[in-house]
Amino acid sequence: PYVTVYLNVTTRGTTSNSEGSFAIHGIVLPCELILSHVSYDLQRLVIEDTSGINNLHVLMKKKLEPIQELTVIGDSSRHTYLDRFKQWFLGAHYEESGAKILNDSVLFFIPMEGEQFEAYANEALIIDLPQTGYQLLTDLVHFKLNIEEELSGFHCSILGYFYFEEIPASNRRKQRALARNRINAYYNSRLHFCRALYSNNLA
């Protein structure tokens, strides 16, 4: 019951009911279905044809947290790591855009040599993106900031799954502004750049 189920990097998703049942409409294949719950291991299913869509049964496994050596960091160090995480994860100008992580208390950091660190979250991050009118749910699998000598600086690797929930606009003017901002965000994104480059359609 109450598992968040969504298609990765889309606005299509739902929550399973008290019996664990769910339905998502308008699926375009192939797709990547993500099932997320704070008490269970995240499940990722790639569905490539219609035989895998109806009457799908998924077994969720209880999350077992391995006991390992921990490094306790103070509040000031946590604040420093959190600031750096936000700059790399949300972008250097995240404050100007109003982007906020609403539940940053679920993040924990593993310090490494120098200013390098890893970050994990014990439940999905909820990120407010007011300029585009979305709330972003992020199941963070891995975040690592380390120094790469060949790049002469820091390199950030991020692995996660994302689900966009649309926040209704208060009026038509706001709706038009959000639509413009979404177009700008998409056409200036790395994703669009990579897709356009791959299809030899770069503008």
Side-chain angles (χ1 to χ4, degrees), residues 72-190:
V72 178
I73 60 175
D75 282 346
S76 62
S77 293
R78 177 179 166 71
H79 186 72
T80 302
Y81 285 119
L82 186 58
D83 277 350
R84 296 193 67 216
F85 174 85
K86 288 176 181 177
Q87 287 177 3
W88 284 90
F89 190 77
L90 299 175
H93 306 291
Y94 73 91
E95 289 177 321
E96 293 170 24
S97 68
K100 282 184 201 161
I101 300 175
L102 302 180
N103 62 338
D104 60 28
S105 62
V106 305
L107 281 164
F108 60 96
F109 303 98
I110 300 172
M112 293 159 50
E113 186 181 342
E115 297 179 354
Q116 303 171 102
F117 68 92
E118 293 183 16
Y120 296 90
N122 55 18
E123 63 183 79
L125 293 171
I126 302 167
I127 300 160
D128 192 31
L129 301 170
Q131 279 196 344
T132 52
Y134 288 118
Q135 196 166 78
L136 178 64
L137 181 83
T138 303
D139 283 300
L140 184 67
V141 177
H142 173 82
F143 176 98
K144 185 174 184 180
L145 183 65
N146 59 330
I147 295 171
E148 294 284 349
E149 290 180 14
E150 56 272 12
L151 297 176
S152 302
F154 283 98
H155 172 73
C156 183
S157 62
I158 302 169
L159 175 62
Y161 303 104
F162 305 91
Y163 168 52
F164 293 86
E165 289 184 308
E166 194 167 354
I167 300 166
S170 53
N171 56 52
R172 284 181 184 250
R173 185 177 174 199
K174 179 74 173 170
Q175 197 172 18
R176 286 193 299 271
L178 290 176
R180 279 193 306 272
N181 291 345
R182 288 174 187 172
I183 288 168
N184 286 336
Y186 174 73
Y187 283 109
N188 289 291
S189 69
R190 287 184 201 162

Side-chain angles (χ1 to χ4, degrees), residues 64-70:
L64 298 174
E65 298 291 346
I67 297 173
Q68 56 186 347
E69 185 179 331
L70 295 177

